[in-house]
């Protein structure tokens, strides 16, 4: 099983030293410290329970430096829902105890042993098979797949009951295990890619040593692949990846087929036929052609990352206004998988921290098109690239620039990149939510920057939107280079709105030192606003009333004209 990077979670300053020792074992792991209690952690969290549950749900292995009971109670509500689970360990703050709690099949005992060895204590291993044999037979290393977990459990209890075992095929990872081996044993561990029905006395393990080359033209690829494997006598679990010509990289069919078969898709330069393509990708393998597919069988598990290349990916993401809780989970997952991160330095820093293997490309805020093209060049090499925006990437941000760069390009490699735009909470919505619901009815979103459009069009739109009695949300309201524009904009709005119209000013919303201010159009002056401010101007129906805890609620009712009977 491939182990993803664990998270080290600590509750108090006293645990930091132990956490750092554990981090030396997993250099890409981050130490998450409770905000206000821990100083010097890699990142901080507000709420222990929510943080732990989120990590668990994202399949992140968890090393929690606290009482086992706290971890158990925190994760308990999630336990029944889950089949496979990440490794979860509790480690004593002072490093004196290492307790594997969950994720036996996720390699928790392996981690417990590693950590215990580093801390020079004994791991609290409680799994009988593991204690006796020094390895979990049901959790073969990456590159191998267990045929059947239930049969496997019975097999292990047979061995625990005293039966001996012989090994058929190559199982190098068992060389160190203390198995009761006997060449005459009835029970066997069988390692091989041939399809077979496991007998009751057999633990079947398949090496992922087979690749199948397919064409995007082929109908019902998953079925065709399964049928071809069956015909060739190869077990499906031995399938390590699909291969295809790089000219077919953008095929949705191929992508879906790989997804359905649960294997990666790797691309190789197109050849005269699929057999030749498979040979190019895997020169050492035995190639056979079946039903319009080519099957490549190797002796050893395949190192898929070394075969051909993967389809590059480019995600344009929105971080939301700043606070981690306001970032959508899809964006968090994307940040974790990225190899390269591009964006304006402030936003890249906001999106971090990143692992050492993730490359950060920080650029100036104004070089949008250059950044978009740079992103495509990287993604076309097969990398997993992120372009970062604050708020939503489609709102006065990078998504449109990235699409424009693609639209202008005739490079098929750029068009083959898997492009996805992941939304975020835009500043107007984050600000509106804090104030109440000032955008509760029809509203108009505008950038007051005349960097990329003539000022005359801004005046025209302002005039018409104000006349149409839309609530208004102003992005980029003012800057040092544009000092007078906001004042002029407010004059235009004031021609259509009363001085009592509510105005919301949100500054650095969702970031440290955020401020929210409710005022009126009559009282608003440009010096109250800077480039980190969101300006929301109400419509004729927008109203305010006092909040019990001080300040005011602002909202625009859903209705317009006659108030409906309720
Ligand atoms: N894509 C971003 C907007 C980029 S334009 C989004 O969807 O939010 C930049 C402008 O957005 C700033 O000048 C400011 O007006 C506003 N803005 C961005 N983040 C903000 C925040 N956290 N608080 C208040 N305004 C913000």
């Amino acid at each position: 099983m491939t182990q993803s990077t664990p998270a080290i979670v600590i509750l108090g300053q006293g645990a930091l030293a132990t956490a750092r020792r554990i981090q030396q074992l997993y250099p890409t792991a981050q130490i998450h410290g409770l905000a206000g209690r821990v100083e010097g952690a890699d990142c901080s969290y507000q709420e222990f329970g929510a943080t732990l549950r989120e990590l668990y749900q994202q399949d992140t292995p968890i090393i929690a430096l606290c009482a086992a009971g706290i971890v158990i109670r925190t994760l308990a509500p999630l336990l029944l829902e889950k089949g496979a689970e990440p490794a979860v360990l509790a480690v004593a703050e002072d490093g004196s105890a290492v307790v594997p709690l969950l994720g036996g099949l996720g390699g928790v005992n392996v981690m417990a042993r590693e950590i215990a060895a580093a801390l020079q204590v004994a791991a609290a291993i409680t799994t009988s098979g593991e204690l006796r044999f020094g390895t979990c037979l049901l959790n073969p290393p990456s590159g191998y797949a267990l045929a059947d977990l239930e049969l496997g459990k019975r097999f292990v209890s047979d061995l625990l009951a005293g039966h001996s075992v012989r090994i058929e095929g190559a199982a190098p990872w068992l060389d160190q295990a203390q198995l009761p081996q006997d060449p005459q044993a009835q029970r066997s561990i069988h390692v091989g890619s041939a399809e077979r029905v496991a007998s009751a006395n057999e633990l079947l393990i398949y090496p992922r040593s087979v690749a199948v080359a397919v064409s995007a033209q082929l109908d019902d690829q998953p079925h065709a692949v399964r049928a071809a494997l069956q015909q060739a006598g190869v077990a499906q679990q031995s399938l390590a990846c699909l291969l295809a010509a790089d000219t077919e990289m953008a095929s949705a069919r191929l992508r879906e087929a790989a997804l359905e078969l649960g294997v990666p898709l790797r691309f190789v330069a197109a050849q005269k036929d699929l057999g030749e393509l498979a040979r190019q990708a895997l020169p050492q393998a035995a190639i056979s052609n079946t039903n319009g597919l080519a099957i490549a069988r190797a002796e050893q598990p395949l190192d898929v990352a070394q075969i051909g290349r993967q389809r590059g990916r480019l995600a344009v993401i929105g971080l939301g206004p700043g606070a981690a809780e306001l970032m959508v989970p899809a964006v968090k997952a994307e940040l974790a998988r990225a190899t390269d991160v591009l964006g304006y330095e402030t936003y890249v820093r906001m999106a971090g921290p990143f692992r050492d293997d993730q490359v950060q490309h920080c650029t100036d805020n104004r070089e949008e098109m250059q950044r978009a093209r740079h992103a495509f060049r990287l993604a076309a090499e097969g990398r997993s690239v992120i372009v970062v925006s604050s708020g939503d990437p489609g709102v006065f941000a990078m998504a449109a620039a990235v699409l424009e760069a693609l639209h202008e390009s005739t490079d098929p490699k750029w068009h083959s990149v898997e492009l996805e735009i992941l939304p975020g909470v835009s500043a107007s919505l984050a600000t509106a939510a804090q104030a109440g619901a000032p955008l509760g009815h029809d509203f108009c979103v505008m950038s007051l920057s005349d960097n990329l459009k003539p000022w005359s069009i801004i005046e025209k739109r302002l005039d018409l939107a104000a006349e149409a009695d839309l609530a208004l949300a102003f992005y980029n309201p003012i800057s040092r280079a544009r000092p007078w524009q906001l004042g002029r904009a407010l004059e235009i709005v004031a021609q259509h709105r009363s001085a009592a119209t509510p105005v919301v000013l949100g500054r650095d919303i969702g970031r440290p030192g955020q401020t929210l201010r409710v005022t009126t159009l009559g009282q608003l002056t440009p010096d109250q606003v800077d480039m980190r401010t969101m300006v929301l101007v109400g419509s004729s129906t927008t109203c305010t009333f006092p909040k019990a805890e001080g300040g005011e609620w602002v909202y625009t009712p859903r209705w317009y004209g006659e108030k409906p009977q309720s």
Side-chain angles (χ1 to χ4, degrees):
M1 180 168 288
T2 26
Q3 196 82 83
S4 50
T5 301
I8 304 168
V9 185
I10 64 177
L11 277 163
Q13 198 66 35
L16 190 58
T18 307
R20 290 279 178 227
R21 288 172 70 192
I22 296 173
Q23 194 179 36
Q24 288 178 356
L25 283 175
Y26 312 104
T28 56
Q30 288 189 335
I31 298 175
H32 302 243
L34 180 58
R37 291 271 210 86
V38 182
E39 257 178 56
D42 302 325
C43 53
S44 68
Y45 63 86
Q46 297 292 335
E47 221 233 301
F48 179 76
T51 306
L52 223 60
R53 284 188 289 270
E54 193 179 308
L55 289 167
Y56 181 85
Q57 278 166 328
Q58 290 172 353
D59 259 335
T60 307
I62 299 169
I63 303 167
L65 275 72
C66 63
I70 300 179
V71 182
I72 293 170
R73 257 191 299 281
T74 304
L75 295 179
L78 305 178
L79 297 186
L80 281 176
E81 295 166 16
K82 222 143 170 208
E85 54 193 2
V88 179
L89 302 100
V91 176
E93 263 199 18
D94 63 359
S96 61
V98 180
V99 190
L101 293 172
L102 297 166
L105 301 176
V108 73
N109 287 337
V110 175
M111 285 178 72
R113 284 208 172 88
E114 285 169 358
I115 296 171
L119 299 174
Q120 295 175 321
V121 295
I125 306 284
T126 53
T127 325
S128 330
E130 181 118 17
L131 285 173
R132 185 84 67 83
F133 311 130
T135 181
C136 176
L137 285 176
L138 303 180
N139 183 27
S142 87
Y144 295 87
L146 185 67
D148 184 308
L149 181 58
E150 289 313 312
L151 287 179
K153 285 181 182 165
R154 216 166 58 216
F155 186 87
V156 171
S157 40
D158 282 353
L159 296 199
L160 286 171
H163 290 278
S164 53
V165 66
R166 66 201 149 80
I167 297 176
E168 294 173 3
W173 74 96
L174 291 179
D175 290 349
Q176 308 299 323
Q178 296 100 46
L179 288 170
Q181 288 199 44
D182 175 356
Q184 310 304 325
Q186 274 188 340
R187 282 166 181 72
S188 63
I189 296 172
H190 182 93
V191 185
S193 62
E195 172 80 74
R196 60 194 269 143
V197 182
S199 71
N201 289 338
E202 195 172 60
L203 182 74
L204 250 187
I205 293 175
Y206 295 116
R208 293 189 222 270
S209 56
V210 176
V212 175
V214 286
S215 144
Q217 317 321 318
L218 191 72
D219 283 328
D220 195 355
Q221 293 158 352
H223 173 79
V225 169
R226 287 191 192 108
L229 288 173
Q230 194 174 22
Q231 209 175 326
V234 175
Q236 244 201 69
Q237 282 117 312
S238 282
L239 183 64
C241 66
L242 293 185
L243 302 170
D246 58 4
T247 45
E248 300 184 325
M249 213 175 241
S251 160
R253 257 180 165 185
L254 283 174
R255 189 187 60 215
E256 280 154 24
L259 212 62
E260 186 177 330
L261 291 165
V263 293
L265 182 55
R266 306 293 299 188
F267 295 94
V268 190
Q271 304 294 327
K272 68 176 198 307
D273 61 37
L274 289 175
E276 198 46 45
L277 188 137
R279 196 177 321 282
Q280 288 294 326
L282 295 163
Q284 313 294 335
I287 315 283
S288 59
N289 289 292
T290 340
N291 295 345
L293 299 166
I295 301 180
R297 295 174 77 161
E299 297 285 326
Q300 302 291 325
L302 297 175
D303 184 356
V304 174
Q306 300 302 318
I307 303 171
R309 61 193 187 88
Q310 65 182 350
R311 183 184 184 194
R313 182 172 164 87
L314 173 50
V316 191
I317 61 153
L319 297 173
E325 310 87 86
L326 292 182
M327 190 191 285
V328 306
V331 167
K332 283 186 196 165
E334 196 66 43
L335 285 168
R337 75 189 271 191
T339 57
D340 296 79
V341 187
L342 282 78
Y344 179 47
E345 199 182 339
T346 314
Y347 302 146
V348 171
R349 214 177 298 128
M350 216 161 100
F354 292 101
R355 302 184 304 268
D356 291 346
D357 60 317
Q358 297 180 298
V359 189
Q360 298 174 47
H361 312 259
C362 297
T363 48
D364 189 88
N365 206 6
R366 285 173 294 262
E367 300 163 2
E368 288 191 351
M369 290 308 292
Q370 260 159 282
R371 188 187 302 150
R373 288 190 280 263
H374 186 193
F376 273 110
R377 281 196 297 275
L378 289 168
E381 288 169 15
R383 304 183 67 88
S384 190
V385 183
I386 279 189
V387 173
V388 201
S389 288
S390 80
D392 182 273
V395 179
F396 310 122
M398 282 305 295
V402 164
L403 286 167
E404 194 177 332
L406 182 60
H407 195 184
E408 283 171 2
S409 166
T410 51
D411 187 339
K413 287 207 179 97
W414 286 27
H415 287 270
S416 291
V417 164
E418 182 180 14
L419 174 62
E420 200 168 346
I421 322 289
L422 297 176
V425 177
S426 193
S428 58
L429 305 182
T431 303
Q434 291 208 359
L439 306 178
H441 193 77
D442 298 345
F443 65 97
C444 168
V445 169
M446 284 185 64
S447 166
L448 295 191
S449 166
D450 57 353
N451 285 344
L452 299 167
K453 59 187 167 187
W455 177 253
S456 59
I457 191 78
I458 299 179
E459 287 206 359
K460 180 174 174 189
R461 287 178 179 175
L462 276 168
D463 187 45
L464 293 172
E467 185 187 344
D469 201 17
L470 297 164
L472 305 167
F474 295 151
Y475 288 77
N476 300 312
I478 201 165
S479 75
R480 234 173 283 146
R482 297 180 285 108
W484 55 266
Q485 282 86 337
L486 178 63
R488 176 73 192 120
L490 294 176
E491 271 171 37
I492 295 171
V493 175
Q495 288 165 11
H496 304 277
R497 300 270 153 102
S498 78
T501 305
V503 168
V504 177
L505 301 177
R507 185 172 191 274
D508 281 342
I509 293 299
R511 300 180 190 172
Q514 67 164 21
T515 58
L516 185 82
R517 200 161 146 188
V518 179
T519 175
T520 61
L521 192 56
Q523 280 169 341
L524 178 62
T525 51
D527 60 290
Q528 296 161 356
V529 175
D530 68 5
M531 63 185 292
R532 282 146 67 180
T533 310
M534 181 75 232
V535 181
L536 304 178
V537 180
S539 72
S540 66
T541 56
T542 305
C543 54
T544 63
F545 64 96
K547 254 186 198 176
E549 64 257 47
E552 276 174 300
W553 284 119
V554 185
Y555 75 102
T556 307
R558 304 278 318 275
W559 50 268
Y560 197 81
E562 283 286 300
K563 182 177 166 73
Q565 301 294 323
S566 54

